Amino acid sequence: MTFAWHAVRRSFELEQTAPQEKIHLITDCMHVTSEEGEFSFVKLPPVRSTSKHGAHWMSPGELSPELSTDGVANGSLDPDTLPDAASVCGVYFVANPDQTIEVTMKQVNVECRTGGLMAFVDGWELNGQYFPGERDHEKPLELRVQEFCAEQTGGPWPVKTGSAASNAWVFRSSQNAALVQYRIPERGSFVLSARFHHNPKPCNIMAEGLAPYYMLRNYGQRRNCTLTALFPAVVSVIALEVGEINESVRYCERVRVDDKLEIGGSVGLDPSYQLTRASTICGRSRGRMDLDQTILCGTTSVRLISSGRFTNQAMVTMRMADESDLRLATVICEM
């Protein structure tokens, strides 16, 4: 009887279904998240309603919060947050510093013929600027932005698993930041799934402000690595190994060096074009440094520039600046 019970229990366990993904309803034009799971968005056209006061048009937000026009739950979209026909909106993902983001488009009903369009961005885009910057990413911009819409599948959604076209709907970022943009002029919907994967060699990092410290490394390669936060911040350099082995830490703004650490801020997202530098340092520390600098800009960045001749690394902390840091500001940008 004991053996029979074990056999039955194992058979029962095999039949258990996998836990369902957490479903997130997208209600804001700029939706920022650090969670995995399934994300869905629905936009419905205005509905003509007839009453004793005459016919008028209602937006989807005026309908019952539970049901849409076809009786399907629509997530109670707020009409004040719904994008207009020309708006480009986005789902902004940020994971842990040592993770990448995989996005699978599970369902797309965004018609090209009505001007609808979607895009996956390897990184973030704001006001025409990108993170990581165009000069700092290993891929050219045309390979980082992949556009698509429903008619391009050549068939109904979703694409069958294993088909040749199915690979086109799975995207993966190079760092811990990714973006799915969408423009839906009339009506449409999409469902996507986001998964985070371990990144053994992180380079560019979008700071979420929660990590106790951040490591920037070039792994002996010729590359630039940037830590960026979208808030005014206090940056503290804890340890530094950049450039010549026998050189102590020094300021090197006025010295022509190929390996250095730049700290500063900017108004836009890409620090490689318009970084206002607080300091540029290089060399190797022999112990804890605690070099604090307050950057009062919309974007705070620490940029490790490497020639490939040295194995460079820097340990930094970054926290949001508060009122007590104002008098010690190293850089102030126009906000």
Side-chain angles (χ1 to χ4, degrees), residues 54-74:
H56 69 282
W57 292 92
M58 296 192 303
S59 68
E62 296 179 82
L63 300 176
S64 165
E66 288 80 21
L67 298 178
S68 65
T69 53
D70 56 2
V72 179
N74 63 12

Tab-separated table of all heavy atoms in Angstrom, residues 54-74:
chain	number	residue	atom	x	y	z
A	54	GLY	N	-31.001	62.387	-26.245
A	54	GLY	CA	-30.385	62.402	-27.559
A	54	GLY	C	-29.126	61.561	-27.602
A	54	GLY	O	-28.644	61.069	-26.585
A	55	ALA	N	-28.596	61.396	-28.810
A	55	ALA	CA	-27.404	60.571	-28.990
A	55	ALA	C	-26.154	61.372	-28.652
A	55	ALA	O	-26.073	62.570	-28.910
A	55	ALA	CB	-27.327	60.077	-30.433
A	56	HIS	N	-25.172	60.712	-28.060
A	56	HIS	CA	-23.878	61.335	-27.815
A	56	HIS	C	-22.818	60.245	-27.774
A	56	HIS	O	-23.128	59.062	-27.685
A	56	HIS	CB	-23.881	62.146	-26.518
A	56	HIS	CG	-23.966	61.301	-25.278
A	56	HIS	ND1	-25.149	60.738	-24.845
A	56	HIS	CD2	-23.010	60.932	-24.390
A	56	HIS	CE1	-24.935	60.060	-23.734
A	56	HIS	NE2	-23.646	60.150	-23.433
A	57	TRP	N	-21.560	60.677	-27.850
A	57	TRP	CA	-20.444	59.732	-27.863
A	57	TRP	C	-19.829	59.662	-26.483
A	57	TRP	O	-19.626	60.673	-25.822
A	57	TRP	CB	-19.390	60.163	-28.885
A	57	TRP	CG	-19.874	60.055	-30.296
A	57	TRP	CD1	-20.481	61.018	-31.035
A	57	TRP	CD2	-19.809	58.898	-31.123
A	57	TRP	NE1	-20.813	60.551	-32.273
A	57	TRP	CE2	-20.404	59.249	-32.365
A	57	TRP	CE3	-19.322	57.604	-30.948
A	57	TRP	CZ2	-20.506	58.350	-33.412
A	57	TRP	CZ3	-19.420	56.713	-31.996
A	57	TRP	CH2	-20.009	57.087	-33.215
A	58	MET	N	-19.522	58.439	-26.048
A	58	MET	CA	-18.879	58.230	-24.758
A	58	MET	C	-17.502	57.627	-24.982
A	58	MET	O	-17.324	56.762	-25.837
A	58	MET	CB	-19.691	57.268	-23.875
A	58	MET	CG	-21.057	57.782	-23.479
A	58	MET	SD	-21.784	56.752	-22.189
A	58	MET	CE	-21.781	55.143	-22.951
A	59	SER	N	-16.530	58.089	-24.193
A	59	SER	CA	-15.210	57.461	-24.234
A	59	SER	C	-15.267	56.170	-23.441
A	59	SER	O	-16.165	55.974	-22.622
A	59	SER	CB	-14.159	58.395	-23.623
A	59	SER	OG	-14.379	58.532	-22.230
A	60	PRO	N	-14.297	55.238	-23.649
A	60	PRO	CA	-14.309	53.984	-22.900
A	60	PRO	C	-14.298	54.197	-21.397
A	60	PRO	O	-14.817	53.392	-20.645
A	60	PRO	CB	-13.029	53.281	-23.376
A	60	PRO	CG	-12.771	53.843	-24.726
A	60	PRO	CD	-13.240	55.259	-24.669
A	61	GLY	N	-13.706	55.310	-20.925
A	61	GLY	CA	-13.650	55.557	-19.496
A	61	GLY	C	-14.998	55.857	-18.887
A	61	GLY	O	-15.181	55.783	-17.676
A	62	GLU	N	-16.000	56.247	-19.729
A	62	GLU	CA	-17.329	56.543	-19.217
A	62	GLU	C	-18.175	55.288	-19.065
A	62	GLU	O	-19.264	55.335	-18.507
A	62	GLU	CB	-18.042	57.515	-20.159
A	62	GLU	CG	-17.393	58.887	-20.256
A	62	GLU	CD	-18.153	59.770	-21.220
A	62	GLU	OE1	-19.180	60.351	-20.812
A	62	GLU	OE2	-17.742	59.853	-22.383
A	63	LEU	N	-17.694	54.155	-19.603
A	63	LEU	CA	-18.446	52.922	-19.492
A	63	LEU	C	-18.345	52.369	-18.088
A	63	LEU	O	-17.604	52.866	-17.247
A	63	LEU	CB	-17.903	51.898	-20.496
A	63	LEU	CG	-17.973	52.307	-21.976
A	63	LEU	CD1	-17.311	51.234	-22.811
A	63	LEU	CD2	-19.400	52.534	-22.416
A	64	SER	N	-19.093	51.321	-17.843
A	64	SER	CA	-18.994	50.645	-16.562
A	64	SER	C	-17.558	50.242	-16.301
A	64	SER	O	-16.875	49.749	-17.188
A	64	SER	CB	-19.867	49.384	-16.573
A	64	SER	OG	-19.537	48.539	-15.498
A	65	PRO	N	-17.016	50.459	-15.089
A	65	PRO	CA	-15.620	50.124	-14.816
A	65	PRO	C	-15.331	48.644	-14.926
A	65	PRO	O	-14.192	48.245	-15.025
A	65	PRO	CB	-15.410	50.630	-13.378
A	65	PRO	CG	-16.778	50.686	-12.785
A	65	PRO	CD	-17.692	51.022	-13.927
A	66	GLU	N	-16.366	47.808	-14.905
A	66	GLU	CA	-16.125	46.372	-14.981
A	66	GLU	C	-16.159	45.847	-16.403
A	66	GLU	O	-15.488	44.889	-16.739
A	66	GLU	CB	-17.165	45.597	-14.157
A	66	GLU	CG	-16.977	45.728	-12.649
A	66	GLU	CD	-17.544	47.024	-12.119
A	66	GLU	OE1	-18.402	47.617	-12.798
A	66	GLU	OE2	-17.122	47.453	-11.035
A	67	LEU	N	-16.994	46.473	-17.281
A	67	LEU	CA	-17.218	45.883	-18.588
A	67	LEU	C	-16.938	46.884	-19.691
A	67	LEU	O	-17.190	48.078	-19.556
A	67	LEU	CB	-18.668	45.389	-18.716
A	67	LEU	CG	-19.103	44.297	-17.741
A	67	LEU	CD1	-20.566	43.970	-17.971
A	67	LEU	CD2	-18.251	43.056	-17.913
A	68	SER	N	-16.428	46.377	-20.807
A	68	SER	CA	-16.268	47.180	-22.005
A	68	SER	C	-17.496	46.971	-22.875
A	68	SER	O	-18.470	46.343	-22.475
A	68	SER	CB	-14.997	46.758	-22.745
A	68	SER	OG	-15.133	45.436	-23.216
A	69	THR	N	-17.456	47.479	-24.110
A	69	THR	CA	-18.616	47.393	-24.986
A	69	THR	C	-18.996	45.967	-25.325
A	69	THR	O	-20.144	45.676	-25.616
A	69	THR	CB	-18.331	48.152	-26.293
A	69	THR	OG1	-17.106	47.662	-26.837
A	69	THR	CG2	-18.215	49.637	-26.025
A	70	ASP	N	-18.024	45.059	-25.327
A	70	ASP	CA	-18.359	43.677	-25.669
A	70	ASP	C	-18.480	42.805	-24.429
A	70	ASP	O	-18.475	41.587	-24.524
A	70	ASP	CB	-17.305	43.095	-26.622
A	70	ASP	CG	-15.906	43.184	-26.046
A	70	ASP	OD1	-15.767	43.653	-24.901
A	70	ASP	OD2	-14.969	42.785	-26.754
A	71	GLY	N	-18.575	43.447	-23.246
A	71	GLY	CA	-18.802	42.691	-22.033
A	71	GLY	C	-17.564	42.100	-21.421
A	71	GLY	O	-17.649	41.296	-20.505
A	72	VAL	N	-16.379	42.500	-21.898
A	72	VAL	CA	-15.127	41.968	-21.369
A	72	VAL	C	-14.530	42.978	-20.412
A	72	VAL	O	-14.564	44.183	-20.659
A	72	VAL	CB	-14.138	41.680	-22.520
A	72	VAL	CG1	-12.832	41.147	-21.973
A	72	VAL	CG2	-14.756	40.689	-23.494
A	73	ALA	N	-13.964	42.497	-19.317
A	73	ALA	CA	-13.348	43.404	-18.351
A	73	ALA	C	-12.250	44.201	-19.022
A	73	ALA	O	-11.411	43.654	-19.718
A	73	ALA	CB	-12.782	42.606	-17.177
A	74	ASN	N	-12.254	45.538	-18.810
A	74	ASN	CA	-11.272	46.370	-19.501
A	74	ASN	C	-10.271	47.019	-18.576
A	74	ASN	O	-9.494	47.864	-19.000
A	74	ASN	CB	-11.980	47.449	-20.337
A	74	ASN	CG	-12.775	48.420	-19.476
A	74	ASN	OD1	-12.636	48.438	-18.253
A	74	ASN	ND2	-13.612	49.221	-20.114
